Amino acid sequence: MPSKVRIALDAMGGDAGAAVVIPGAAISLARHREIEFLLIGDRAKIEPELDRHPALKAASKIIHTDVAVSGEDKPSQALRRGRRTSSMWLAIDAVKKGEADVAVSAGNTGALMAMSRFHLRTLPGVDRPAIAGMWPTRRGDSVVLDLGASIGGDTHHLVSLAIMGAAMASVLFNKKRPTVGLLNIGVEEIKGHEEIREAGEILRARNLPELDYLGFVEGDGIGKGVADVIVTEGYSGNIALKAAEGTARQMAELLRDEMKRSWLSKLGYLFARNAFQALRNKMDPNKSNGGVLLGLNGIVVKSHGGIAAEGFAYAIDVGYEMVKFDLLNKINQMLNREGGALSSVQAAQEAVS
């Protein structure tokens, strides 16, 4: 691990920009003293926030730009208008030039993916990048991907997701051979689209040393934690993510309303408040914030746009962990080592066809 981890922050991304990014960086710095920050954005907005955090100010350098990618910009518009000048582009550019080890942004997801793919390019053997996130489960955490980087995916894409997700899980969970499942409408081998069935057949037949393929997983299996890695294409992955987040909020609101319904409910809450606090902590969306754009020639982390400072700090922590465990090199080695996973998968896919 390098003595310093250099993190470029898009200080104008997200709903609140520097008002969240700067205090979030201060929280993360308190946890990881070896971080150095490049704060990219409008100096007039960054400096007042930075003055409130002396330790962060000492560990930071400001790169000024007053150009920000809008949340309404289409990816093509963002590339045309924000290329080379926006805070998002400059954060990615810092990774490209080796001035930063990772870029973190809470900005427009489509724009971030388009700019990252255009500027950093993909790793050899990877057709499209994916967003991989941590998902709290009954057994701990699982890595789920793709959470919305792109729609659809052929057999090769799904298998590459499995390999990249396994690499991420291996460094985060310290497992030599993480378990992997393919999200499907049923666990039976005959169910699902042809691409999913073919990917499952190849993963089972190849018995790759990088991962332990368990088979198909239904939607409720994600929360049960049946596998370290759950693989799906971006359309269904994003729907699953939004449905889970919405259900968590709904359950919290229903529980809060019931606790207020009578004096007996309020009394019951007093006796069980430690359990309720533990539940809130486990379901805290802040702690699951930070999706890694896997498959790129560089590390980029996407934060939720409406997150608070504590949540943005967790996204920074994710980037820090990816650098600490040398995720990029691990993925590259697993994908493209001599006789590696994807080369054997391509041969197997030809045989299946």
Side-chain angles (χ1 to χ4, degrees):
M1 178 182 173
S3 58
K4 291 289 185 179
V5 176
R6 302 161 301 166
I7 300 180
L9 300 182
D10 171 11
M12 299 175 75
D15 296 351
V20 162
V21 171
I22 303 306
I27 293 170
S28 186
L29 179 63
R31 296 195 278 249
H32 311 292
R33 290 293 184 181
E34 62 271 35
I35 294 179
E36 292 179 343
F37 288 103
L38 290 179
L39 305 177
I40 304 171
D42 190 342
R43 184 181 295 273
K45 295 179 180 178
I46 293 173
E47 287 183 336
E49 294 289 340
L50 201 55
D51 287 340
R52 300 186 179 98
H53 306 282
L56 177 62
K57 188 173 184 177
S60 300
K61 174 184 176 182
I62 299 174
I63 298 177
H64 173 75
T65 178
D66 57 3
V67 179
V69 174
S70 166
E72 288 72 42
D73 283 345
K74 294 180 180 180
S76 57
Q77 293 173 325
L79 274 172
R80 287 197 302 269
R81 299 173 186 170
R83 186 177 169 189
R84 305 188 188 283
T85 56
S86 70
S87 56
M88 181 182 288
W89 175 274
L90 292 175
I92 298 166
D93 190 52
V95 175
K96 173 76 172 181
K97 293 177 177 177
E99 297 169 355
D101 300 302
V102 55
V104 183
S105 174
N108 183 316
T109 302
L112 183 65
M113 177 57 72
M115 286 186 177
S116 298
R117 184 176 181 180
F118 179 86
H119 200 32
L120 297 176
R121 307 297 181 183
T122 56
L123 292 169
V126 177
D127 298 326
R128 289 180 287 171
I131 299 176
M134 299 297 292
W135 197 297
T137 75
R138 291 183 61 185
R139 298 177 58 186
D141 289 324
S142 294
V143 173
V144 182
L145 73 165
D146 178 15
L147 293 176
S150 59
I151 294 175
D154 60 13
T155 301
H156 180 272
H157 180 61
L158 291 173
V159 174
S160 69
L161 292 181
I163 297 167
M164 291 191 295
M168 182 171 170
S170 68
V171 299
L172 289 177
F173 307 148
N174 194 27
K175 289 188 175 182
K176 186 177 181 180
R177 202 163 183 247
T179 56
V180 175
L182 291 175
L183 187 66
N184 202 357
I185 60 172
V187 298
E188 298 85 356
E189 295 295 327
I190 62 171
K191 288 190 174 180
H193 293 301
E194 180 181 357
E195 295 82 4
I196 297 175
R197 297 198 307 271
E198 281 190 2
E201 184 178 343
I202 290 171
L203 287 169
R204 191 177 301 282
R206 291 292 95 184
N207 192 27
L208 299 171
E210 295 88 358
L211 58 91
D212 179 11
Y213 176 63
L214 300 182
F216 296 148
V217 176
E218 294 185 87
D220 63 341
I222 303 177
K224 291 177 182 177
V226 299
D228 298 314
V229 181
I230 302 293
V231 174
T232 181
E233 53 83 31
Y235 185 83
S236 55
N238 190 263
I239 290 176
L241 174 65
K242 298 298 174 58
E245 290 175 341
T247 300
R249 284 193 296 269
Q250 180 187 7
M251 293 299 296
E253 291 167 2
L254 289 173
L255 183 60
R256 185 170 57 248
D257 291 343
E258 288 300 321
M259 291 297 100
K260 297 177 181 178
R261 191 173 296 278
S262 68
W263 67 267
L264 194 59
S265 297
K266 295 177 182 178
L267 181 63
Y269 171 77
L270 290 176
F271 285 108
R273 59 185 174 183
N274 288 339
F276 286 126
Q277 183 60 50
L279 178 62
R280 277 197 296 267
N281 289 339
K282 189 169 183 64
M283 297 179 67
D284 185 357
N286 286 320
K287 296 180 180 179
S288 301
N289 187 42
V292 183
L293 275 58
L294 292 182
L296 297 167
N297 273 302
I299 302 175
V300 179
V301 176
K302 172 67 176 72
S303 166
H304 282 306
I307 206 76
E310 180 67 29
F312 192 80
Y314 277 103
I316 296 173
D317 292 347
V318 168
Y320 170 85
E321 294 292 319
M322 296 302 97
V323 175
K324 176 181 178 182
F325 292 108
D326 201 17
L327 176 70
L328 193 62
N329 283 334
K330 188 173 184 65
I331 289 176
N332 206 4
Q333 290 168 7
M334 288 173 65
L335 286 172
N336 301 290
R337 61 181 171 79
E338 185 178 354
L342 281 187
S343 59
S344 64
V345 165
Q346 288 166 347
Q349 189 173 355
E350 291 173 1
V352 170
S353 303

